Amino acid sequence: MNILLKTLCGFAYVTMAVSVPGKAQAEPQASHVEACMPCHGEDGIAPASDVPNLAGQNERYLFNQMMAFKSGKRPHKEMRYMARYLSKSDIEALAAYYAALPPR
Amino acid sequence: MNILLKTLCGFAYVTMAVSVPGKAQAEPQASHVEACMPCHGEDGIAPASDVPNLAGQNERYLFNQMMAFKSGKRPHKEMRYMARYLSKSDIEALAAYYAALPPR
């Protein structure tokens, strides 16, 4: 019983650490993260000062901006192109991934 | 002579720490920083997840985005309003200020 309780608590802890409240959060596809890297850095810290760091940025902000790039609401030729074939759940996964990375 | 050298080195260090290479960087006006606070936090860490953290963000990116809000190139009603009466040098000072704050 004690072991079961510990296992359940451990599971709850891990689930809380990686998920958005109320829903399961998938890892982003490796190819999607790789597509971000040249401009936003391997670890979400951009090598150029005119490109934003993504590491530790707020998750909902990242999600909203990617959706806005995809729709063209936030105009940005390259980012619109990058977001074009990403689904809403792909973007959710990317936003959660970068929000969870440690900031500079 | 030794004291003079130390003083000069100390001055150079402080100057390097707060300035953009090649030009003097003014502190932002307190009223300008106060205007950012309600949404972006006292320390550049936004209290809401749909608002970006500014602390530690890349300086040129912050400058470019504020100029884009001001011109309407990046559409955002509230941010356009906020940037409306800020000069280029006001925006330079704000960008340098938030870029230098420690990220979360």
Side-chain angles (χ1 to χ4, degrees):
Chain A
M1 184 58 191
N2 199 19
I3 290 170
L4 178 62
L5 197 63
K6 277 189 186 163
T7 307
L8 283 172
C9 287
F11 180 72
Y13 177 78
V14 169
T15 307
M16 284 167 66
V18 298
S19 72
V20 171
K23 61 176 176 175
Q25 184 60 64
E27 284 287 306
Q29 288 183 35
S31 64
H32 296 168
V33 175
E34 281 161 19
C36 307
M37 277 186 194
C39 293
H40 294 284
E42 269 192 62
D43 47 4
I45 304 296
S49 174
D50 58 345
V51 176
N53 299 325
L54 305 179
Q57 188 51 279
N58 286 323
E59 181 173 346
R60 194 168 297 275
Y61 176 73
L62 292 176
F63 174 79
N64 288 347
Q65 296 311 301
M66 282 295 285
M67 294 301 280
F69 287 131
K70 186 177 165 75
S71 71
K73 191 179 160 195
R74 178 174 171 184
H76 194 298
K77 199 173 74 171
E78 294 77 9
M79 284 305 302
R80 185 169 197 179
Y81 179 81
M82 298 302 284
R84 203 167 177 179
Y85 299 110
L86 296 177
S87 69
K88 194 180 159 199
S89 62
D90 291 337
I91 291 174
E92 280 173 346
L94 282 168
Y97 173 78
Y98 281 109
L101 289 182
R104 175 180 50 167
Chain B
M1 182 61 190
N2 198 20
I3 288 171
L4 177 63
L5 196 64
K6 275 188 187 165
T7 307
L8 284 172
C9 286
F11 179 73
Y13 176 78
V14 169
T15 308
M16 284 169 64
V18 298
S19 72
V20 171
K23 61 175 173 174
Q25 183 61 64
E27 283 288 305
Q29 287 184 35
S31 64
H32 295 167
V33 174
E34 280 161 20
C36 308
M37 277 186 191
C39 293
H40 293 285
E42 271 193 59
D43 48 3
I45 303 298
S49 175
D50 58 346
V51 176
N53 300 327
L54 304 180
Q57 188 50 278
N58 287 323
E59 182 173 344
R60 194 168 296 275
Y61 175 74
L62 293 177
F63 174 79
N64 288 346
Q65 296 311 301
M66 283 296 284
M67 294 299 281
F69 287 132
K70 186 177 164 74
S71 70
K73 192 178 160 197
R74 179 173 171 184
H76 193 298
K77 199 173 73 170
E78 295 77 9
M79 284 305 301
R80 185 170 196 177
Y81 180 81
M82 299 302 284
R84 204 167 176 179
Y85 300 110
L86 296 177
S87 69
K88 194 180 160 200
S89 62
D90 291 337
I91 291 175
E92 279 173 347
L94 281 169
Y97 174 78
Y98 282 109
L101 288 182
R104 177 179 50 169

